[in-house]
Amino acid sequence: MSVSVAADGTKDGFALAKEASASAPLALVLDGKQKDLSFVPPSGATVEIVTADTDEGREVIRHSTAHVMAQAVLRLFPDAKYSIGPPIQDGFYYDFDVERPFTPEDLERIEAEMKAIVKENQRFERAELNKEEALSLFASQPYKVEIIEGVAGDAEGADRDAATGEALSIYRNTVDGDERFVDLCRGPHIPGTGRIKAFKLLRSSGAYWRGDEKRPMLQRIYGTAWESKQALEDYLHRLEEAEKRDHRKLGRDLDLFSWSDEVGPGLALWHPKGSIVRKTLEDLSRDMHLERGYQPVFTPHIGKSTLWETSGHLGWYRENMFPSMQAEEGEYLAKPMNCPFHILIFQSKTRSYRELPVRFSELGTVYRYERSGVVHGLLRVRGLTQDDSHIFCRRDQVVDELVEVVDFLRELYGMFGLSPDRVRFSTRPPKSVGTDDEWATAEAAIPVALERAGLDYVVDEGDGAFYGPKIDIDVRDAIGRYWQMCTIQVDFQLPERFGLEYTDEQGERVRPVMIHRALYGSVERFTGVLVEHFAGAFPTWLAPVQVAVIPIADRHIDYATEVAERLRQGRVRVEVDDSDNTMGAKIRHHQLQKVPYMLVVGDDEAANKTVAVRRRTGEETRGVSLDDLAAKLASEIEARSLELTV
Ligand SMILES: [Zn+2]
Ligand SMILES: [Zn+2]
């Protein structure tokens, strides 16, 4: 917990932290800027003490641990050149220019060396230098020289070690005044390395200097650091759990989807089992959109370049679009978004205020030219199908429509045991199009709508799209990870660019407002997240195979087939396992495939028209009548239950 305390101009952060009884203080915050505890804040200032068990505190720990790691690497690899080492989500990294990539054994040695440095309890000491002094101090370190030369090299954001402003700051690690390590750094840092309680190095990989493939390939070591051994252990456990849930691995194991070099990166091939999951999601989406007054539309995958000029995509989105195709009558481009097509449908006839809001909805497949390096499983792809809708409405309808979208979202996400958790409202960016009046209208509508919808949110000042403010909604999955899913945007610009109009009560022509929204986001990404959320063990209504019937011996195959037929009539997705495998092997197989129910049938079951039900979780119920089973399964699927009920 961080605590606030008033400064008197004489006490440093250590004294103030003591006064405030802050436990495990690491740094302080003055006017939004973090400082070392050795800093003496001016009289009258209120400062916040950053403690180890906060996000800010962990960031200070992680950044300090990155310095310790760099020192350890330089001890073991004296010729290494060190570049940058920022804290990141849950950890830190540092990039080194070394002769050869690090091996797992290297990481062990580095970790051991780091423990020694922690034991020495070296002090972190800040000093400020001018450019010349800094250049001479780091003369043998080309990456540091480049950072100093280019002070503005900090612009890309990831690089906290690049100093800013006039003076450059450095941090020395010392023992009894002896310097052990020095790094160019903005700080703040923990007072001494002894405050590092728990850390672990995780892996290493190649990374281009400045992320630029024309620059040298460096070796990046990733690590994590926490305020206590327990917090570290919990994190490592979460990591392990996340690995088991990796949708790319499960996608392969469960035969859901794959990728092929012959097709190209980021273009998923949906296998039959994955397609069942997808179809179920799509059917649900289509039904719910109809129920909520959306009208379905279908639009082409490609359109003439002139369309994308009008929409502005060629101006501001070109680099995310695949190169054009040349046809007889001009250039065509694969659509990166569906909006222009929906606009043309709106424009296909004159519209009256009475018709508004008009809500078009499409499972629209779009193509985005993601760089091959960032493509990631189903989470970041080049071909994706959005559950994309565009709402055309009057200005006075925007709030109601936004509230309705949030309500829709809640109902939909609830079916998967997910809920909107982290909500960001992003406002007008420095560079934007549109009038002040339009922005004011849109920006006023969003908070009103979010409050009415009962959603807490944070404001991301200046992070909106340049054509309108937006709402981003994250969900938290079964193991507490956040995923960004849904985006809602209020847009005045496309209606302007396309000259959209409707006729109001007075017979005047008025521009409608457009709301862009996708709830799943994309079917690809949503499926990927669901696989991880459920760890592949889909609830019965989503499971590709809902029931596996396992005959004990060959003479039971007929009855097994009868059971399967009966369930199939109720539209249950069922398989009969008539393989030659042993009973144990069959059960293991279906358990690994995460099939919700296995029905084991032998002489007794055939004679009594019953089944022995075995859940994928291991519980067994014997002697369940076929009628009973069929009824229970039907209601479980119908209710889209998240639990197994038979
Ligand atoms: Zn630093
Ligand atoms: Zn759109």
Side-chain angles (χ1 to χ4, degrees), residues 482-541:
Y482 286 103
W483 300 90
Q484 209 233 297
M485 314 289 302
C486 158
T487 301
I488 308 167
Q489 285 172 328
V490 179
D491 177 13
F492 289 95
Q493 296 318 310
L494 282 180
E496 186 71 39
R497 295 187 78 104
F498 281 87
L500 292 189
E501 285 175 346
Y502 67 90
T503 316
D504 72 5
E505 291 94 323
Q506 285 78 42
E508 304 278 325
R509 288 158 187 258
V510 184
R511 280 247 190 291
V513 183
M514 249 177 106
I515 297 172
H516 308 246
R517 43 112 299 192
L519 303 182
Y520 286 148
S522 76
V523 181
E524 284 76 6
R525 183 172 165 81
F526 197 78
T527 304
V529 170
L530 283 187
V531 170
E532 303 218 358
H533 172 58
F534 291 121
F538 293 108
T540 308
W541 68 277

Side-chain angles (χ1 to χ4, degrees), residues 424-629:
R424 282 184 309 285
F425 161 34
S426 304
T427 61
R428 187 175 191 171
K431 271 174 80 179
S432 65
V433 290
T435 66
D436 290 351
D437 177 48
E438 288 166 343
W439 276 92
T441 307
E443 289 190 346
I446 289 179
V448 175
L450 290 176
E451 271 149 42
R452 249 179 63 194
L455 280 186
D456 288 335
Y457 62 93
V458 295
V459 179
D460 226 335
E461 218 58 75
D463 206 35
F466 75 91
Y467 55 88
K470 60 172 182 165
I471 305 170
D472 288 302
I473 297 176
D474 296 354
V475 298
R476 242 172 112 109
D477 73 5
I479 57 169
R481 292 173 299 173
Y482 286 103
W483 300 90
Q484 209 233 297
M485 314 289 302
C486 158
T487 301
I488 308 167
Q489 285 172 328
V490 179
D491 177 13
F492 289 95
Q493 296 318 310
L494 282 180
E496 186 71 39
R497 295 187 78 104
F498 281 87
L500 292 189
E501 285 175 346
Y502 67 90
T503 316
D504 72 5
E505 291 94 323
Q506 285 78 42
E508 304 278 325
R509 288 158 187 258
V510 184
R511 280 247 190 291
V513 183
M514 249 177 106
I515 297 172
H516 308 246
R517 43 112 299 192
L519 303 182
Y520 286 148
S522 76
V523 181
E524 284 76 6
R525 183 172 165 81
F526 197 78
T527 304
V529 170
L530 283 187
V531 170
E532 303 218 358
H533 172 58
F534 291 121
F538 293 108
T540 308
W541 68 277
L542 262 179
V545 177
Q546 296 167 318
V547 172
V549 190
I550 307 175
I552 291 175
D554 281 354
R555 65 177 182 282
H556 306 122
I557 290 179
D558 283 349
Y559 178 60
T561 309
E562 185 188 328
V563 170
E565 273 313 312
R566 171 70 198 277
L567 295 178
R568 234 171 247 138
Q569 281 162 25
R571 304 192 63 165
V572 175
R573 297 186 286 267
V574 52
E575 269 179 6
V576 175
D577 186 344
D578 55 5
S579 66
D580 292 335
N581 295 333
T582 62
M583 208 46 202
K586 287 182 188 179
I587 287 177
R588 232 180 356 265
H589 170 74
H590 297 290
Q591 208 139 15
L592 285 174
Q593 286 296 302
K594 317 214 180 198
V595 175
Y597 296 108
M598 284 157 263
L599 307 179
V600 181
V601 296
D603 291 334
D604 286 354
E605 286 78 16
N608 303 322
K609 299 288 175 205
T610 59
V611 294
V613 179
R614 190 189 161 93
R615 294 182 177 182
R616 66 183 160 209
T617 42
E619 302 100 326
E620 261 190 69
T621 321
R622 320 204 73 166
V624 178
S625 82
L626 209 42
D627 289 337
D628 203 20
L629 171 76

Side-chain angles (χ1 to χ4, degrees), residues 237 239-247 249-250 535 594:
H237 178 74
L239 261 194
E240 211 176 286
E241 193 55 35
E243 247 161 63
K244 274 191 270 176
R245 288 168 180 259
D246 189 323
H247 75 283
K249 178 181 181 296
L250 285 169
K594 317 214 180 198

Side-chain angles (χ1 to χ4, degrees), residues 273-519:
K273 286 181 179 167
S275 299
I276 289 286
V277 176
R278 175 171 174 159
K279 180 189 179 296
T280 309
L281 293 176
E282 292 190 353
D283 289 350
L284 174 66
S285 169
R286 286 207 172 94
D287 290 349
M288 287 178 76
H289 278 85
L290 284 175
E291 283 163 19
R292 287 180 175 259
Y294 287 78
Q295 305 176 69
V297 294
F298 288 95
T299 64
H301 287 217
I302 61 174
K304 279 157 80 173
S305 59
T306 43
L307 173 68
W308 305 109
E309 264 158 37
T310 307
S311 68
H313 284 84
L314 281 186
W316 53 270
Y317 206 71
R318 174 106 217 194
E319 62 177 35
N320 296 88
M321 296 168 75
F322 272 92
S324 64
M325 315 160 233
Q326 201 60 45
E328 223 177 285
E329 63 289 0
E331 238 188 333
Y332 280 79
L333 287 139
K335 65 175 169 184
M337 295 187 196
N338 304 295
C339 342
F341 296 97
H342 293 191
I343 287 174
L344 294 177
I345 297 173
F346 181 85
Q347 239 176 352
S348 64
K349 59 178 179 181
T350 52
R351 303 277 177 180
S352 140
Y353 69 96
R354 285 195 201 86
E355 288 172 70
L356 303 187
V358 167
R359 308 183 184 104
F360 291 146
S361 128
E362 176 178 18
L363 286 160
T365 302
V366 299
Y367 296 90
R368 295 184 181 169
Y369 188 41
E370 299 280 5
R371 301 302 177 256
S372 56
V374 302
V375 162
H376 179 91
L378 285 183
L379 300 179
R380 192 132 174 211
V381 288
R382 287 179 162 183
L384 56 146
T385 302
Q386 297 178 292
D387 58 331
D388 202 6
S389 296
H390 293 95
I391 302 170
F392 301 85
C393 66
R394 306 191 310 251
R395 281 193 185 203
D396 65 313
Q397 292 173 322
V398 171
V399 170
D400 284 348
E401 288 306 303
L402 292 175
V403 171
E404 152 65 27
V405 168
V406 172
D407 186 65
F408 191 167
L409 175 86
R410 278 210 171 100
E411 186 188 358
L412 180 68
Y413 281 19
M415 291 175 181
F416 306 95
L418 298 169
S419 60
D421 205 305
R422 224 159 43 177
V423 182
R424 282 184 309 285
F425 161 34
S426 304
T427 61
R428 187 175 191 171
K431 271 174 80 179
S432 65
V433 290
T435 66
D436 290 351
D437 177 48
E438 288 166 343
W439 276 92
T441 307
E443 289 190 346
I446 289 179
V448 175
L450 290 176
E451 271 149 42
R452 249 179 63 194
L455 280 186
D456 288 335
Y457 62 93
V458 295
V459 179
D460 226 335
E461 218 58 75
D463 206 35
F466 75 91
Y467 55 88
K470 60 172 182 165
I471 305 170
D472 288 302
I473 297 176
D474 296 354
V475 298
R476 242 172 112 109
D477 73 5
I479 57 169
R481 292 173 299 173
Y482 286 103
W483 300 90
Q484 209 233 297
M485 314 289 302
C486 158
T487 301
I488 308 167
Q489 285 172 328
V490 179
D491 177 13
F492 289 95
Q493 296 318 310
L494 282 180
E496 186 71 39
R497 295 187 78 104
F498 281 87
L500 292 189
E501 285 175 346
Y502 67 90
T503 316
D504 72 5
E505 291 94 323
Q506 285 78 42
E508 304 278 325
R509 288 158 187 258
V510 184
R511 280 247 190 291
V513 183
M514 249 177 106
I515 297 172
H516 308 246
R517 43 112 299 192
L519 303 182

Side-chain angles (χ1 to χ4, degrees), residues 53-248:
D53 58 350
T54 59
D55 284 347
E56 295 77 22
R58 288 179 198 113
E59 201 169 286
V60 177
I61 293 174
R62 287 167 190 156
H63 184 56
S64 302
T65 313
H67 279 230
V68 169
M69 178 167 80
Q71 183 182 162
V73 168
L74 290 175
R75 279 188 183 179
L76 296 168
F77 304 85
D79 295 331
K81 305 296 176 207
Y82 56 128
S83 64
I84 57 165
I88 52 172
Q89 166 101 31
D90 295 331
F92 60 88
Y93 68 78
Y94 214 115
D95 287 350
F96 304 93
D97 194 343
V98 278
E99 296 251 303
R100 56 162 180 84
F102 294 108
T103 63
E105 293 72 35
D106 291 335
L107 295 195
E108 274 173 37
R109 287 168 59 215
I110 295 165
E111 209 174 89
E113 200 61 42
M114 289 170 71
K115 287 194 173 130
I117 294 168
V118 167
K119 224 174 186 171
E120 290 169 23
N121 194 16
Q122 302 177 356
R123 290 179 50 157
F124 275 93
E125 285 178 20
R126 182 188 175 89
E128 285 180 7
L129 307 179
N130 64 31
K131 192 170 162 184
E132 283 61 44
E133 291 167 328
L135 284 174
S136 97
L137 179 62
F138 290 103
S140 63
Q141 290 294 334
Y143 300 97
K144 298 293 175 192
V145 168
E146 187 177 326
I147 293 167
I148 298 164
E149 291 286 5
V151 170
D154 184 34
E156 64 222 54
D159 177 10
R160 182 162 138 166
D161 274 344
T164 54
E166 319 71 52
L168 292 145
S169 56
I170 58 163
Y171 277 80
R172 290 194 165 92
N173 280 117
T174 62
V175 177
D176 300 329
D178 270 3
E179 178 178 308
R180 300 296 162 91
F181 176 74
V182 61
D183 204 349
L184 186 65
C185 176
R186 198 187 299 160
H189 278 289
I190 54 178
T193 58
R195 303 257 179 147
I196 297 172
K197 302 294 176 205
F199 71 91
K200 187 167 173 53
L201 300 188
L202 301 173
R203 63 184 191 281
S204 66
S205 66
Y208 290 108
W209 169 232
R210 296 286 193 211
D212 181 348
E213 63 214 38
K214 294 181 201 82
R215 308 296 309 271
M217 167 75 89
L218 306 179
Q219 294 302 318
R220 173 171 299 177
I221 303 178
Y222 288 96
T224 186
W226 295 82
E227 70 274 20
S228 66
K229 292 223 157 55
Q230 187 60 50
L232 172 65
E233 258 170 49
D234 291 349
Y235 171 68
L236 293 176
H237 178 74
R238 287 202 298 279
L239 261 194
E240 211 176 286
E241 193 55 35
E243 247 161 63
K244 274 191 270 176
R245 288 168 180 259
D246 189 323
H247 75 283
R248 294 166 301 177

